[in-house]
Amino acid sequence: MNTSALRLLPLAIATALAFTPAANATTMAARAENAFLSQADAAARAARVSNVDYVLDFTLTGKENFGGTTTLSFDLNDASTPLTVDLDKATVKSVTVNGKSVTPQYNGWFVTLAAQDLVKGRNTVAIVYERPHSTNGEGLHRMVDPVDKRVYTYSHFEPAAAHQMFAVFDQPDLKGTYQVNVSVPADWEVISTTRESKIEAAGDSRRWTFPKTKKLSPYNFSMHAGPYKKWEDNSGKYPMRLFARQSVAEQIKPAEWFKYTKSGLAFFDDYFGIPYQFEKYDQILVPDFLYGAMENAGAITFAERGFMYKADMTSDQRQNLASVIMHEMAHQWFGDLVTMKWWNGLWLNESFASFMGTLATAESTEFKDAWRSFYSHGKQGAYVQDQSSTTHPIEVPVPSTQNAFDNIDAITYSKGASTLMQLRHLLGADVFRKGVHNYLVKYQYRNATLDDFIGSLGEAAGRDLKGWTKEWLYQPGVNTIAANFSCKNGKIAAFNLEQSATKQFPTLREQRVQVASFRMDGKQLKLDKNVAIIYKGAKTAVPGMVGAACPDLVYPNFEDWGFVKVQLDKRSFDTARASLAGVDDPLLRAMLWQSLWDGVRDAKLPLNDFITTALNNAPHEKDYTLLGDVLGKVGAAKYYLSAMDPNSAYAQQAGRQLEEMAWNAAVAAKGNDDFQRRWFGTYIGMASSRPALDRLAALLEGKQTLDGLTVNQDLRWAIIARLNRFDYPGAMELVKAEQERDKSDSGQSAALAATVIRPDPAVKAEWLGTIQDTRTKLPFSKVRTAMGSLYPSEQKALAEQTADQRLAKLQELDKSAGPVYMRAYGPSMIPASCTPASVKRLQAASEKMKDLSAGTRRALLGTLEDDQRCVAIKQAMTVK
């Protein structure tokens, strides 16, 4: 929030600002008068403050406001200047410093404690306040369940939102203990870092008391309260509980949660060599959540939208559940036990959790192909991001809390995890594990820096990693490697790996990879030679390949050890296109599919050629994980067709072919529920011709069936959304009827999406107005749903009607709406239509709007590059 939001503060706060006595003004800290904490101010405060303890008292009634008292004790080594305590948008009722009542000096963002009221040594401050619950997913969020009108609350503090719930030193390097007391309605549960020590009746309420926590950064502490449904499992080493709203309890599969949680805790205890520190393991599914999940110590929150199932879970859904559980569990050690010193270290938390979460999924669950899933999803997102002009180093400065999430993206999560994976290959798995263990032991309950982590690994390996750190963590961009070889008399005579970089990001890196050569054996592609090698610089000889049979295909990052883009030589590329079905190794097959898709994105392989390859090969794919990857690429190909010109003869023909491919494969998959549901989901996503839409409508009404498939509630909403997207006759009435059938919160969101997606100018105008009205009372989760549904790729003409207005509004919203809103608005609402005119419009906007916040400007430039790519792909097509 910037200073323009001051007008939104309660009258009492604005009045206090206007009439702060002049005598006190001279004692005000030099901290900037805005909602954000700078790194410099945080460092200055941390240099003075230590040994922090909080006693937090809350009164929650279920109404829109809540009351709280923070009693804050800390040691101060210098009492000569004022000290600030963070508290956002509250009505401060009283401030007591060291037993003395003082006039609150409060600007709506932080309370300033005057120097004359502080002492060197131990200080105690009590702040009594009232505050509205938030509705945007930060602070102490409140949600009224539309089904049964029950009220649910939960906290979310990352990156720096604890001060939206209580008065706090809201920075990661001021760890403290938290003792909590809370009064809530009698039918509510309360969940926090520790288990409650006492529950006492107090009239219509109950008062819950929680013992003091271990030392935590503010963003790792949490408290959640409401009439949650509770499941318990005490079969493992640590007691486990799971919570969810009453109205969605039937959609939760607690046995699956406990199975993966139990196996994960055993794995991490063993891998890290340090027992889990927070005594119990609670997991809470919460509504309206901004992200996927959050690693609050001992009380992890999950976005319920990703983990509610109205039918049996597919293998893909179970793997997703397992991997997210493992990711957040890894944070309990790396993030909660040892915490970054400042927000520039956030990437290391997330990269390490992504790496360890995948490792744990692969080694402690049935999903042994977890690294292949990581390659196909997370890693490819990182490659895309790292090839854009808006990419950034893994480690970046963070001037203030306003910038903490500017660079939270695929670089932060997946490129970082990939660098850790290849560092593990470079150092050896045992050495890497030893370094991690030593790091956690040395810095437990403390804050650490990147140098601390790299130093622990380097010490374990007995090598200096400064050069590696500089190349990989402080320089952006992805390199490309290519095999350059020659053959003589049927044998390889010379073989080199050639590494290249872009002019914008010229760094060449050191990395260990495997170089593999293959020969065709009939219709099968067989591995002939595999050599592990460390390459660096522009050219590295691979003597181990000399003398091998002249190959039909060479893949220079076999088994995906490295983070690097592979450019196949012409012979290998042609072999890949012609022989996908003859590749037995599913990871290699995935990599060859990716090489073809890279060719499309780079405008070197015509999109129509890729679609032909997909039509010929995708129906024969028998690996479930890889099929999901391939069908994702097919969906992206369909997106490009729609974005270019959905009415062209080729788009119509290819669209019908893709529809029939998906339908026929779904029919053929009878008896294999996972494959059938995957193919049918693709069919819904491809359906755009009238016959395909007729078929969907008939399935919805029960007039047609797909043998083996149950059209469950989730599929019904997906069909209804598709029918509305193409203005199928009677589609809007289907939305209304389905709302009566499904009154759940997820049903309401699905109905909203199906309504907003309709190609109706009046609907678009109404919802654009709602989205751009930052004062709307609509929960932000619903606003985000509307953003994502408003302008699908086929509705170019409708999107163009508001394109100029949306661009013109961008600067105003960027200044007034805040970073949470803009992180959703920018990627969804900046207009692009895959035309030279659209590219020119975005170029003009980027030249004009150079004062946008970092995150919004990056969204603008990213949209421009995506639009340029779409135009280039269109120009590279050999059929129109």
Side-chain angles (χ1 to χ4, degrees), residues 766-829:
E766 176 189 353
W767 279 100
L768 180 60
T770 299
I771 289 168
Q772 293 182 340
D773 180 5
T774 56
R775 298 166 299 177
T776 180
K777 296 296 185 182
L778 195 67
F780 186 60
S781 60
K782 300 296 191 292
V783 174
R784 283 190 298 157
T785 296
M787 288 180 186
S789 304
L790 195 58
Y791 295 114
S793 56
E794 302 88 358
Q795 296 175 12
K796 289 174 63 173
L798 277 172
E800 277 298 303
Q801 291 178 11
T802 62
D804 290 337
Q805 186 265 5
R806 280 181 279 148
L807 266 183
K809 188 82 169 175
L810 190 61
Q811 286 178 299
E812 176 189 334
L813 287 170
D814 190 49
K815 286 180 167 58
S816 63
V820 171
Y821 175 93
M822 292 309 298
R823 282 197 293 270
Y825 184 90
S828 301
M829 301 297 292

Side-chain angles (χ1 to χ4, degrees), residues 4 63 275 312 503 567 623 672 802 813 830 844 879:
S4 65
K63 296 181 180 178
D312 290 338
K503 290 181 179 179
Q567 180 179 311
D623 184 271
N672 189 324
T802 62
L813 287 170
I830 296 175
V879 296

Side-chain angles (χ1 to χ4, degrees), residues 437-589:
H437 169 80
N438 293 345
Y439 169 80
L440 292 172
V441 169
K442 183 175 181 178
Y443 297 103
Q444 58 185 317
Y445 298 109
R446 295 164 58 192
N447 297 86
T449 65
L450 172 62
D451 287 344
D452 297 326
F453 177 67
I454 296 297
S456 293
L457 294 179
E459 185 178 339
R463 67 169 280 182
D464 186 349
L465 292 174
K466 290 179 182 175
W468 180 91
T469 302
K470 181 179 178 182
E471 289 178 359
W472 281 100
L473 305 183
Y474 289 101
Q475 299 296 330
V478 61
N479 299 116
T480 298
I481 56 170
N484 187 353
F485 61 93
S486 60
C487 295
K488 186 175 182 179
N489 299 324
K491 302 289 186 181
I492 295 176
F495 197 109
N496 294 290
L497 272 185
E498 296 183 351
Q499 179 182 194
S500 59
T502 64
K503 290 181 179 179
Q504 186 180 9
F505 305 120
T507 300
L508 298 179
R509 298 173 172 86
E510 175 188 10
Q511 190 165 203
R512 186 168 186 248
V513 297
Q514 295 181 106
V515 180
S517 63
F518 300 83
R519 295 277 295 166
M520 292 301 301
D521 181 6
K523 293 184 178 182
Q524 297 300 112
L525 193 67
K526 298 295 186 182
L527 176 66
D528 184 62
K529 187 89 175 200
N530 180 26
V531 176
I533 188 166
I534 296 175
Y535 72 83
K536 53 187 172 182
K539 181 181 289 188
T540 301
V542 188
M545 294 300 293
V546 175
C550 194
D552 292 306
L553 182 145
V554 170
Y555 200 85
N557 186 23
F558 185 55
E559 295 186 331
D560 193 36
W561 283 13
F563 182 82
V564 65
K565 186 177 179 182
V566 169
Q567 180 179 311
L568 295 178
D569 62 274
K570 185 179 185 307
R571 181 178 177 85
S572 296
F573 191 85
D574 290 343
T575 300
R577 289 177 63 185
S579 308
L580 278 171
V583 179
D584 290 332
D585 180 355
L587 178 56
L588 178 62
R589 210 156 62 242

Side-chain angles (χ1 to χ4, degrees), residues 13 380 438:
I13 297 174
Q380 296 312 317
N438 293 345

